[in-house]
Amino acid sequence: MDGNGSQGSNKRASRGWLMWFIFLFFLDLVVPFTWLSHVQKVTGAFLFWILWTIVALASMFAIFLKWR
Amino acid sequence: MSASYVWLAVAIYIVMGLAIAWVGRRHLGIGMSEFFLANRTVGGLVSALTYSATTYSAFMMVGLAGFTYQGGVGALGFEFTYLCGLFLAVYFAPRFWLVGKRYNYISPAELLADRYQHKGAGVVAAVLALVFLVPYSAAQLMGIGFLVSGVSQGAIPVMAGIIIATILAVAWANIAGLRSVAWTDAMQALIMIVTSVVVLFFVVYLGFGGFGSFFQRMESDIPGLLTVPSETGMFNFKMYLGLCVPWVFFCLSNPQVSQRLFIPKSVRAMKQMIGGFLCFGFLYTLVTVMWGFTARLLVPGLAKADMASPSLLALAIVPRFLAIIVMVGVMAAAISTIDSILLTLSSMFTRDIYKNLRPEVEEARELSIGKWVIPIMSLVTLIFAIWASRETGLQVMIVSLSVASSAGLLMAVPSIIGAFLWRRATAAGALVSMIAGAILTMVLQLGGYKPWGHWAGIWGIIVCSLLFIVVSLLTSPPREKAEEFMGYLEEELPKHRFI
């Protein structure tokens, strides 16, 4: 792949990941304050935020493990 | 607990820290880059641990545990949101690292001054850091004071802890610059994580009979703390947003953290730094929040939420020696954050303010001035901490103090992002946005104003971003520098598979 090609593919990857993380932050702000706002259990917001973080961290690992 | 055991533990910690710092001094070379960045040769493990210890400190075990104690599960979401804001570090760390090496930047403010071709941009960013990192450092000192006082059950006063921490932070930063800071951080981070996990297991198994029973008690005794907003009214949506927004950008806005992005010796070391920090952060956050919940169940009714962790450590079910080690670990972590801040502020004052006033100054003299800035800034921080430690209530709780500081530092973020991503960004845009944003944030913070219920950081970042864009569009950018700077990155990033 030439220089312009790899730069273009890089930009597409950046935008894709940016959209993904915006979606994750949207979930972070919406889910606990709406669907889980009356769930007074450990399986409510507590578990949601743990799982949400695991997904976000896994996404970050997927990005930087490719670095060379 | 007998004060003499606590003093003994503190004495052992001081000796160990001094020994490590002096070993660091044996490797110390000459010059600013060596003193402030360890010559950009820090390995992955030490980078990860120093990043972790600099970020996670008293505000976690004392401040966040207190926040959980008072407000419940929202504290978990807030802190995990910060951790996931590390997405920004995954994106920007390679950029900082590449341009840092190419242009030999010492501080993030120097990067702004060079990229925007305007010394004022660096000066303003440095002044922002000097002003807004004072409350953050003071929060660390307060954490130590509360912790030592709590664990010794009042035998050692809050003030003694604060003064010892100040003296040690100055010493650690001065002995070998980043080498002594990073190496002591590494040891302290390991103590923090190991002891906090062990204590959590002790408390959960001896206090509740296991995690299953602990979770059942949470649901039966404090169900109102398992939702947002909580039953106490904390963590409503606007408060959550006001806390999270400055925190998400923490890795860019806080110069003591973003300066760490210059130090890894290789791509591999940078990967280890970020990966190590993410694992550390996940575990440490979870443990800290659980500390807060266990404290709420086992020692309810505390007048001051920041005393949750110290009160937990003072319980009979926590072995005394372990409580003391945890106390030393948290104390060390807090000191490691303060010394990192002092070191960064020192580099920013000398490189971005003093050198602009005296461009002809020799590097040795510049470094010498920097070493004097460390005790002066520590004195300012000490005075602020003494004032804040005498107050009570949410306004001066440690996390609130830290967030207030991050809200002010947030005003540099549009300029930082613009420097890397927008060729049209200008020095005027950076200057106007940082100054106006900082003034607005300070007015709102000091006046206690929350227009339409939203916190200062939210209004600050909205106004600051708009000003940055509008003023940049109305003024002329440094086209040649922007092309060279961003062209270099566009060429280099794909070579390392950076996004």
Side-chain angles (χ1 to χ4, degrees):
Chain A
M1 193 181 286
D2 62 18
N4 287 339
S6 71
Q7 281 177 19
S9 136
N10 218 36
K11 280 186 180 168
R12 278 194 298 277
S14 299
R15 282 183 193 143
W17 282 116
L18 179 66
M19 296 308 293
W20 170 241
F21 276 94
I22 288 173
F23 173 68
L24 285 180
F25 284 115
F26 174 76
L27 291 182
D28 169 40
L29 293 175
V30 170
V31 175
F33 287 91
T34 53
W35 295 323
L36 301 176
S37 64
H38 298 292
V39 182
Q40 295 186 327
K41 291 185 175 299
V42 172
T43 48
F46 186 82
L47 182 62
F48 167 79
W49 267 315
I50 291 173
L51 296 177
W52 176 83
T53 304
I54 290 171
V55 171
L57 298 195
S59 305
M60 284 184 247
F61 271 84
I63 297 171
F64 73 73
L65 285 179
K66 290 179 183 165
W67 293 353
R68 293 288 178 269
Chain B
M1 184 180 299
S2 165
S4 56
Y5 287 114
V6 178
W7 281 118
L8 179 66
V10 171
I12 292 171
Y13 159 67
I14 292 172
V15 170
M16 283 174 65
L18 277 173
I20 289 174
W22 280 102
V23 170
R25 192 177 175 84
R26 287 171 56 189
H27 293 79
L28 183 65
I30 298 167
M32 293 281 284
S33 178
E34 172 62 42
F35 189 80
F36 291 113
L37 301 177
N39 220 16
R40 305 173 206 274
T41 55
V42 182
L45 182 63
V46 175
S47 292
L49 292 173
T50 186
Y51 196 113
S52 302
T54 298
T55 301
Y56 293 127
S57 51
F59 94 94
M60 291 293 282
M61 277 300 176
V62 182
L64 191 71
F67 233 25
T68 309
Y69 183 95
Q70 195 174 22
V73 73
L76 180 73
F78 153 59
E79 191 57 34
F80 270 161
T81 302
Y82 155 70
L83 186 64
C84 296
L86 256 285
F87 162 65
L88 292 168
V90 172
Y91 186 80
F92 284 102
R95 287 161 172 78
F96 270 86
W97 184 71
L98 285 168
V99 297
K101 282 201 303 180
R102 179 175 170 92
Y103 300 109
N104 198 29
Y105 297 137
I106 299 292
S107 75
E110 188 182 9
L111 183 156
L112 293 181
D114 182 52
R115 164 63 180 82
Y116 290 117
Q117 292 290 286
H118 196 291
K119 290 173 182 173
V123 172
V124 171
V127 171
L128 271 185
L130 286 164
V131 171
F132 286 106
L133 280 175
V134 168
Y136 187 63
S137 304
Q140 309 308 318
L141 290 175
M142 288 166 64
I144 293 169
F146 288 136
L147 192 77
V148 175
S149 171
V151 172
S152 68
Q153 293 173 331
I156 298 176
V158 172
M159 207 53 60
I162 288 177
I163 291 169
I164 290 170
T166 306
I167 294 168
L168 289 178
V170 173
W172 280 194
N174 259 315
I175 288 174
L178 188 71
R179 286 194 192 276
S180 49
V181 166
W183 290 15
T184 48
D185 278 3
M187 175 198 76
Q188 292 156 3
L190 291 173
I191 295 174
M192 282 159 63
I193 195 77
V194 172
T195 53
S196 58
V197 170
V198 172
V199 167
L200 180 70
F201 274 84
F202 263 100
V203 170
V204 168
Y205 278 94
L206 297 181
F208 302 94
F211 279 94
S213 313
F214 167 55
F215 291 140
Q216 278 176 4
R217 284 282 305 277
M218 281 168 69
E219 291 182 354
S220 62
D221 293 11
I222 48 170
L225 293 185
L226 292 176
T227 57
V228 280
S230 73
E231 66 178 3
T232 59
M234 278 182 73
F235 292 115
N236 59 53
F237 184 74
K238 288 175 180 173
M239 177 186 182
Y240 188 77
L241 200 63
L243 287 166
C244 286
V245 168
W247 227 244
V248 163
F249 293 97
F250 188 93
C251 62
L252 294 181
S253 64
N254 276 247
Q256 79 279 13
V257 176
S258 60
Q259 197 175 37
R260 291 285 189 276
L261 306 179
F262 290 139
I263 67 171
K265 68 178 177 185
S266 61
V267 173
R268 183 182 159 86
M270 189 162 43
K271 286 165 72 173
Q272 290 171 339
M273 177 177 82
I274 294 176
F277 173 73
L278 290 175
C279 295
F280 187 103
F282 180 75
L283 185 59
Y284 199 50
T285 300
L286 204 51
V287 168
T288 303
V289 168
M290 286 198 191
W291 271 47
F293 279 122
T294 56
R296 180 66 186 231
L297 290 167
L298 294 173
V299 277
L302 291 174
K304 201 163 187 168
D306 281 340
M307 292 304 287
S309 278
S311 304
L312 195 67
L313 289 175
L315 287 174
I317 54 173
V318 179
R320 301 298 81 188
F321 76 96
L322 204 54
I324 293 180
I325 294 173
V326 171
M327 182 210 76
V328 170
V330 178
M331 180 178 178
I335 292 171
S336 71
T337 297
I338 305 165
D339 61 17
S340 295
I341 290 173
L342 291 175
L343 201 62
T344 298
L345 291 181
S346 163
S347 70
M348 293 177 96
F349 179 83
T350 49
R351 179 53 60 100
D352 303 304
I353 297 176
Y354 184 76
K355 196 170 170 62
N356 282 330
L357 294 172
R358 301 248 177 114
E360 75 286 354
V361 66
E362 289 181 1
E363 194 167 333
R365 173 74 180 151
E366 195 184 352
L367 186 55
S368 165
I369 297 283
K371 288 181 180 177
W372 275 106
V373 173
I374 293 172
I376 293 168
M377 284 309 299
S378 71
L379 192 63
V380 174
T381 303
L382 177 65
I383 292 167
F384 191 95
I386 289 171
W387 168 78
S389 68
R390 288 177 179 161
E391 301 291 320
T392 54
L394 187 63
Q395 275 306 101
V396 289
M397 270 182 67
I398 287 171
V399 174
S400 300
L401 214 50
S402 305
V403 171
S405 142
S406 283
L409 294 169
L410 188 60
M411 301 309 123
V413 167
S415 302
I416 294 170
I417 293 176
F420 287 107
L421 298 180
W422 196 30
R423 282 178 165 79
R424 193 68 188 73
T426 71
L431 284 168
V432 170
S433 66
M434 284 192 283
I435 294 169
I439 291 171
L440 175 66
T441 307
M442 280 186 85
V443 168
L444 293 176
Q445 296 271 14
L446 295 175
Y449 304 119
K450 288 178 184 168
W452 290 286
H454 286 292
W455 288 31
I458 303 291
W459 292 111
I461 193 63
I462 291 171
V463 171
C464 172
S465 301
L466 287 174
L467 283 173
F468 178 69
I469 293 167
V470 171
V471 175
S472 288
L473 289 173
L474 293 174
T475 50
S476 179
R479 291 186 196 284
E480 198 176 321
K481 181 69 193 183
E483 196 53 52
E484 179 207 330
F485 185 97
M486 293 178 65
Y488 169 70
L489 285 175
E490 284 164 0
E491 195 175 299
E492 288 297 311
L493 289 168
K495 288 183 187 170
H496 300 282
R497 296 169 140 191
F498 296 143
I499 61 165

